[in-house]
């Protein structure tokens, strides 16, 4: 049940669903969890840094994580526990594991600069949460401004046996995957699951470089699942054909800030969450943007019927 | 009891005292509160961003704030409520006010850039905590990377009547005080208390530019109190004489990161807190640094006997 | 001949071509210029900040600009004159205009934060270069970290009549275009050409939001030209069809750092420049990356024959 | 004549003197050079990053450096050659050495993050300028945002034998000096001159930690010289007494941005430069600030007569 370095496939990054008035929408949490399991995700990651986790109070965060965990009987749940301090990180990590989480995810705080600061931070984080909790190292320089070389990632993974997965979302990042896999071939890096994020924008080539799967929040996890599978099956052209059909929407959804609004809009359209509202401060999308997303969906649907969300659309 | 724009004098920024094992030291909270009241502070500010507030869990933060508030029967308490999200901010703010706090302090999150983002943020913060809570606007670009012009500060103060005080710690910042006071002379800015921080490094001239007092954590609040009073009394040379005697230590204590360790070391030496420990991640000071602080104390003591903390020094 | 607010269409951002040993390759400058004119660009922008302009000595920069200008008899040349100081900016701007440039482009230095700092900077820049030189305001927060609201852009354009064009590459940025065009409808903003950059990643919708064209360096300016024209002609689906065929490569080329290497690699493959070398410090691309680009080209070529660069492919 | 790791004492950072209209003031360059030699500086550093070097055109920069070098017959001249690109760096470095400079100084560009990026940058810089030019590594995180650990500094110094000096201005930075000297005791770091900057704010303790001297621009280099000498002679109290007398002014002059205006104002008052003007964009000081500096000077003068700059002041 616990996360290991053998984890692979698609872990969806779940948004936190709210009602229009800002309360947490438990029913939509349940539906989201069902949805991810039904379409074939291996897991779901909740309370990610780009979601609205920082907008939750500590007790709310624990409640959200627990609800996802309890509902997810068929798939693994990873809980984002990044926090300004280790006390809060430990508290959420222990509570999540007690509730049945598969592991936790930790991102570096933005003030880290030197290699030693970065490796030191994760050593202290593991001391804080305990070395019995499997965890995911999040590498996301665009948002976090912390740059980890492949050698630093190797140090962290080597020093902390409980680190079993890298959430890779450096940009550009293809060479980083190749270098890490090269480290493993030469024997200097232990087995490590690499799932890629960044909205899925480079999933096609990330798989070819050696990623084990995807961990991101694209509103069609089915696409991520299919591309991961096709790529692993060596069906390169088919993987790219499907990926390319979705790319215009992937790109649109990957925009910082507004991307989450797009994602929630699509998930609402798909009937997975009841309401696309965000807690304040919220990045809304305009009517024009919604129409652009609708247009993109209609174009994706020419190739992938699952994107056909038109109201009375007959034979989807 | 509530904070108003007439607040003046010295508000000490209190460190959060811990035991060696990282637990909160309640007895030292009590002693700190007594100490600040006895030496003549008008108030105390707790859970400041440069303290260790982010290292506390939400429940701990509330407990610390409440303990300070309950103990501070003679002086006002301001609670730092800056948080990554408005839910946590509101929660701590309401709890603090219910416990008897005089007001709260809010710093802008580091991602704000444009004037509109900054003014928009504080509008939403006030919506979140409620417009009945008097609050202090913290302006600290060196650490927060958010730059507020005098005109932006004026907008925030004008738009939000519950903003009654500016914690000024821009660097350089003397002209900013002059400009804000000029705004008031010309009638474009309502009355506003301005207390200055930045470790006290420019308190001598900040008072002359129009500050109402100090809000910072220098381990000798007596010095801040005296300089504020001497300066208000127009005794310029005396104010500078005393200030200059402390400046070498003020400068040493104002170093980012290590400064808090120096402050706790001196407060421990003074018998105000039991232990100088910080929660991890902690910036320790070396034996050499401690010896340097001791040397600086001995030099300050030549002018200000209150700094004479030498072990057997009997009747200083 | 000089740039006006009526400029529209596609302005290619030209790379600076070097020989393998780091010397400037004048013959390739000539060929690049011919190429851009032949495919139908309205202009070419040289010495852009993301190119290798900072790697040139002042005299080299002037020589490169002049060579492009002299060769470009049929299209306009805009010269990037962003510089750490106004003296160097003025010098390159005046020399470029004397040589026959249509205008210059100025990006804000990364240290600007407040609205007033930004508007003040451009006022001083115009004082420095002279108000007789038409110029392009570059808005590129991802790289420059300077965030300009639509209102700030309006101020700059209003205060400086010689500002005739916005190079828009905010991300996300679609709403910004809409807002600026809204300003013009309501009469608060004078006519302004808006060309979009950001590697072309959102050109499809940027045109629909009101952009006048593209200014970016994608190695197939023909695609930019066609999308701009199709979109202006109201042929929405056709525009998107063509755009989407190129999007996988556009995305690949838009990666920070490595993108320039991809661009030079493709331009070399197309026979436009002799050598893909960059001056140090250079971001090279691996053999794997080159193979990925080749694969992407082959896929684009299924829809757009111009991307068929396979070695012996004769009459494709 | 060339700089070696045995360099010690005080190297003044020279401002670039301008006329009121922004032209370079050659006569003041001559007077500055004489002044630094007369008071006892071992050297002078010109075109520093915090001065106005970026405001100069390439030809002007070379002319300024050359004029200082030619005039400085008794003291060494170090030329700041930091530049956005290696071509400009090389050009100024070679020209300066040909003119008779003792060495050059290089600061890292602000975009460097990882240890490997930093060491790689300096390796390429040395390739660019040639390994026969002695150079000073500038470590100034507050302004440059690049953080170098002691181990990274050791790598740079070890990999590049022509690196003979560290300009240390980390903040806080005392432990860094101690660590580097510890490296040398244990034999892992070759001999290296360490001069300290940061406006002199910590010179008292920096000398005690093992610095070889000062390299900064305080308007009374005599103070730097005396503190360095007293400290080296083991006269601790005397060193601190003198230092502390100047500290209020040192602190005032060390303010970012406005500090240079203060420095030029004092140097003009001392008759060393003709005009305190800066090239645009310039940080001016207000009449109030000038009066504050005058007041600080009068207070310093109570201990150090050299600071008595009062107009007709009789018995100085």
């Amino acid at each position: 049940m616990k996360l290991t370095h053998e984890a692979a496939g698609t872990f969806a990054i779940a948004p936190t669903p709210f009602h229009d008035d800002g309360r947490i929408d438990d029913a939509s949490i349940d539906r989201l969890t069902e949805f991810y399991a039904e379409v074939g995700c291996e897991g779901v990651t909740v309370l990610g840094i780009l979601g609205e986790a920082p907008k939750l109070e500590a007790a709310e965060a624990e409640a959200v994580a627990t609800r996802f965990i309890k509902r997810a009987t068929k798939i693994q749940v990873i809980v984002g526990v990044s926090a300004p301090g280790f006390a809060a990180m430990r508290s959420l990590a222990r509570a999540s594991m007690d509730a049945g989480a598969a592991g936790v995810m930790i991102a570096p705080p933005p003030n880290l600069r030197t290699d030693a600061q970065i490796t030191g931070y994760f050593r202290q984080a593991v001391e804080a949460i305990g070395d019995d909790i499997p965890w995911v190292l999040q590498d996301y320089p665009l948002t976090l401004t912390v740059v980890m070389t492949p050698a630093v990632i190797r140090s962290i993974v080597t020093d902390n046996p409980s680190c079993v997965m890298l959430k890779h979302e450096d940009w550009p990042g293809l060479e980083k995957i190749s270098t890490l896999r090269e480290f493993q071939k030469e024997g200097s890096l232990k087995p490590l699951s690499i799932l890629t994020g960044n909205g899925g924008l480079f999933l096609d080539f990330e798989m070819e470089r050696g990623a084990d799967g995807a961990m991101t929040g694209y509103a069609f996890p089915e696409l991520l699942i299919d591309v991961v599978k096709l790529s692993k099956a060596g069906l390169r052209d088919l993987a790219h054909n499907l990926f390319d059909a979705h790319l215009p929407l992937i790109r649109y959804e990957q925009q910082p800030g507004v991307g989450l609004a797009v994602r929630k809009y699509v998930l609402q359209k798909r009937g997975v969450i009841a309401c696309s509202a965000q807690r304040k401060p919220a990045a809304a999308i305009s009517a024009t943007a919604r129409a652009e997303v609708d247009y993109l969906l209609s174009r994706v649907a020419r190739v992938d019927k699952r994107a056909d969300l038109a109201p009375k659309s007959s034979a989807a």
Side-chain angles (χ1 to χ4, degrees), chain A residues 62-112:
Chain A
E62 196 177 313
V64 165
T66 302
R67 185 145 195 131
F68 271 108
I69 293 165
K70 295 301 180 195
R71 190 75 179 196
T73 51
K74 295 171 216 141
I75 58 175
Q76 292 188 305
V77 178
I78 297 171
V79 180
V81 297
S82 304
F86 290 134
M89 182 187 291
R90 172 189 170 80
S91 183
L92 182 56
R94 305 287 337 166
S96 298
M97 296 307 291
D98 288 349
V104 301
M105 183 161 73
I106 308 175
N111 60 312
L112 303 181

Side-chain angles (χ1 to χ4, degrees), chain A residues 100 190 194 207 223 249 258 297 302 308 316:
Chain A
K190 65 168 190 176
I194 301 180
M207 289 307 299
L223 178 275
L249 179 56
V258 77
L297 283 166
R302 298 176 312 171
D308 186 352

Side-chain angles (χ1 to χ4, degrees), chain A residues 12-16 45-56 78-84 89 92 104-110 121-122 136-146 148 167-169 197-198 215-217 256-257 260 263 278 281:
Chain A
I13 299 275
T16 305
T45 301
V46 303
L47 302 179
I49 52 165
L50 271 191
E52 299 174 76
K55 299 178 187 170
L56 304 183
I78 297 171
V79 180
V81 297
S82 304
M89 182 187 291
L92 182 56
V104 301
M105 183 161 73
I106 308 175
Y121 179 81
F122 285 105
V136 182
L137 171 63
Q138 186 172 16
D139 179 22
Y140 195 7
L142 179 65
T143 291
L144 300 168
T145 78
V146 177
M148 301 188 227
K167 178 166 198 257
H168 166 282
E169 37 197 344
N198 205 10
M215 186 193 286
T216 192
L260 177 63
R263 187 169 294 172
Q278 295 178 39

Side-chain angles (χ1 to χ4, degrees), chain A residues 128-259:
Chain A
I129 65 171
D131 60 10
D132 57 329
I133 299 182
W135 61 281
V136 182
L137 171 63
Q138 186 172 16
D139 179 22
Y140 195 7
L142 179 65
T143 291
L144 300 168
T145 78
V146 177
V147 183
M148 301 188 227
T149 61
V152 162
I153 293 171
R154 177 171 56 186
S155 288
I156 295 168
V157 170
T158 303
D159 294 352
N160 302 287
S162 55
C163 178
V164 297
M165 184 187 284
L166 174 70
K167 178 166 198 257
H168 166 282
E169 37 197 344
D170 201 349
W171 180 54
L174 295 176
E175 298 301 331
K176 187 177 262 186
I177 299 174
S178 295
T179 302
L180 290 169
R181 290 312 188 201
E182 203 57 46
F183 284 169
Q184 293 179 317
K185 270 182 213 149
E186 73 187 30
S188 69
L189 175 63
K190 65 168 190 176
L192 176 73
S193 172
I194 301 180
L195 301 192
T196 65
N198 205 10
L201 197 65
F202 287 89
L203 181 61
D204 49 349
F205 289 113
E206 286 162 348
M207 289 307 299
E208 300 177 10
R209 293 293 188 116
D212 293 302
M215 186 193 286
T216 192
Y218 182 51
F220 286 91
E222 301 95 322
L223 178 275
L224 307 174
I225 292 166
D226 289 352
V227 169
V228 167
K229 285 183 181 164
L230 289 167
S231 191
K232 282 186 180 172
L235 301 167
R236 187 184 205 191
D237 287 348
L238 291 183
H240 280 273
N241 288 349
L242 186 59
F243 179 84
D244 288 359
H246 280 264
L247 184 54
L249 179 56
I250 288 174
R251 159 211 61 163
Y252 200 98
E253 194 181 304
Q254 194 247 2
Q255 296 176 85
V258 77

Side-chain angles (χ1 to χ4, degrees), chain A residues 31 266-274:
Chain A
R31 209 151 41 227
V266 176
L267 286 171
Q268 183 191 28
K269 260 185 108 93
R270 299 192 69 181
V272 184
I273 61 176

